[in-house]
Amino acid sequence: MPTGIKRTYSTRSAKPAPPSSPPSELTSPPPAKRKRPLTDRDPDSNTPTKRARRTLTASTSKAGGKAKGGSSTAFTATAKPKQGKLTQLHFALDTPTLRTCPLCDLSYTRGAPDDEALHRAHCARVQRGLEWGKEEEREAQRAGGVEELEGNVKLRNGARGRIVCFRPDVGGKIGAKLAILLDTIRLALSSPPLSPRVLQRCKVYLFLLSAPGATPSTREKIVGCVVAQRISTAMAIAPASSDSSAPPSSPPPPAASASASASGQTTPPPPPLLPVDSSTGLYVHPAPLPTPLGIPRLFVSSAHRRLGIAARLLSAAAATFILGCPLDPAKGEVAFTQPTGAGKAVLEAWGRGGVRIYEEERDM
């Protein structure tokens, strides 16, 4: 029985020796070397085997401290990242996300971090005012531009403060504080921001309330603000009409009515009044009247109202806005922009019926 011969690489024929003489171009080149076909190879010989990959876990890496021969082998196991804490959310279709604060009247989205942070800061300023610290006072004394009009002003509750005045372009720490204050007033009154054209013709009056037990000019709060503007014309407020359903009309002048009745001619109907706030019955006559002083912004923090702060600031503005020429609101020399409900009460009480209404961007 013939024995099977196992072919290996050693059974291949040896390579032929190179010729001693160089090959001639006339002779044909040697045949190209070809690989041995697969049919001649033994499938069981020289075939690499596939090793199974070893999977290491954390327990294996801890237990397998040393391998054979005492050599220590270190295995690195990657730990799974920790999953963050999840929050269960629910749809609340019956609860509105838009909320209006009863203290500052600011509407914001509940659950929105930016809106809630804005509301917290704004509500604190509306209720308690802004800080006027040592840095602002030091800058006011060093740089100038801030004038103290009245000191040691006593309020109805016994607290004391002072009134200062400066122009809006003062800059520095005081200018930055004024920008925050004007933005707070804009949100509180739901009014548009004052344009640079208006601010160029303005003065700012602040009421600084001293903290209890603190000396003046060391720890104070801005609890009141009046922005006074130089204007040219304003409109007179019409008296309240008995018929609230229809807007009242301007009465004709007495001389015109007498002359018309004498000549037998019919007088033309008077021009209709312009509504300022129809909900409160505030109307004005459309005829412009010369007026030197306008008040575009008036603000007092909610925790310090009904103490006479607004009246003190308005009186200081009327007395000092034009140097050497104090103004009388009862004679129609002071005007307001469109007032709110609280502003209308101040307008009627302080103005004694002579305050007028103007447009801050037009009547300049």
Side-chain angles (χ1 to χ4, degrees):
M1 183 174 179
T3 58
I5 299 174
K6 188 175 182 181
R7 282 181 175 273
T8 60
Y9 285 102
S10 61
T11 58
R12 294 182 180 178
S13 58
K15 293 182 179 180
S20 58
S21 61
S24 175
E25 296 180 356
L26 300 177
T27 59
S28 61
K33 183 180 179 181
R34 299 179 63 186
K35 292 184 179 180
R36 186 170 52 175
L38 293 176
T39 54
D40 297 343
R41 298 182 183 180
D42 189 4
D44 297 333
S45 62
N46 299 326
T47 303
T49 58
K50 197 172 185 179
R51 287 188 177 185
R53 181 174 293 181
R54 185 179 180 184
T55 306
L56 298 179
T57 59
S59 59
T60 312
S61 62
K62 290 181 180 179
K66 289 188 177 182
K68 281 186 177 182
S71 61
S72 61
T73 308
F75 301 99
T76 305
T78 58
K80 292 183 178 180
K82 292 184 179 180
Q83 188 176 10
K85 186 178 179 181
L86 303 179
T87 303
Q88 180 66 41
L89 302 178
H90 303 275
F91 282 107
L93 301 179
D94 56 340
T95 304
T97 58
L98 191 65
R99 182 176 182 270
T100 302
C101 177
L103 300 176
C104 63
D105 292 333
L106 181 68
S107 298
Y108 64 97
T109 304
R110 183 185 299 176
D114 294 342
D115 278 22
E116 291 189 349
L118 174 64
H119 167 251
R120 284 193 297 268
H122 174 74
C123 195
R125 294 168 189 160
V126 169
Q127 293 184 71
R128 298 183 292 273
L130 277 75
E131 294 286 343
W132 181 278
K134 294 182 178 179
E135 295 183 358
E136 288 82 7
E137 186 62 27
R138 192 181 301 114
E139 183 176 317
Q141 295 177 359
R142 182 180 65 250
V146 179
E147 180 184 1
E148 182 176 342
L149 302 178
E150 297 183 34
N152 199 20
V153 180
K154 187 176 180 179
L155 301 178
R156 295 173 185 171
N157 62 348
R160 296 182 181 274
R162 59 193 180 112
I163 298 176
V164 297
C165 171
F166 55 88
R167 298 192 64 85
D169 56 354
V170 64
K173 296 278 186 182
I174 300 176
K177 187 75 69 174
L178 177 62
I180 298 174
L181 178 61
L182 291 179
D183 189 64
T184 302
I185 296 174
R186 178 185 62 83
L187 292 175
L189 302 180
S190 300
S191 60
L194 293 173
S195 64
R197 178 169 170 261
V198 172
L199 289 175
Q200 287 177 359
R201 304 168 63 90
C202 289
K203 286 184 181 180
V204 180
Y205 295 81
L206 300 182
F207 191 92
L208 306 180
L209 183 66
S210 301
T215 59
S217 305
T218 56
R219 187 183 173 191
E220 297 171 308
K221 278 186 174 293
I222 306 172
V223 297
C225 175
V226 162
V227 181
Q229 176 189 359
R230 186 72 170 92
I231 62 174
S232 57
T233 59
M235 297 171 287
I237 298 177
S241 174
S242 58
D243 184 12
S244 59
S245 60
S249 58
S250 308
S257 59
S259 61
S261 60
S263 60
Q265 297 177 357
T266 58
T267 59
L273 298 179
L274 300 179
V276 177
D277 190 356
S278 57
S279 61
T280 58
L282 183 60
Y283 294 87
V284 295
H285 296 282
L289 302 174
T291 308
L293 176 60
I295 306 295
R297 298 292 181 270
L298 169 63
F299 173 76
V300 177
S301 59
S302 59
H304 304 90
R305 292 176 182 173
R306 301 183 182 277
L307 299 178
I309 295 176
R312 291 276 191 170
L313 289 172
L314 290 172
S315 299
T320 62
F321 184 78
I322 301 177
L323 184 62
C325 182
L327 304 175
D328 188 0
K331 297 179 180 179
E333 297 175 345
V334 181
F336 284 75
T337 53
Q338 182 176 352
T340 59
K344 184 184 177 185
V346 175
L347 179 148
E348 294 173 349
W350 177 77
R352 302 188 300 274
V355 174
R356 298 169 180 172
I357 302 296
Y358 80 104
E359 296 181 20
E360 62 188 40
E361 292 288 348
R362 194 181 71 174
D363 298 323
M364 290 194 301

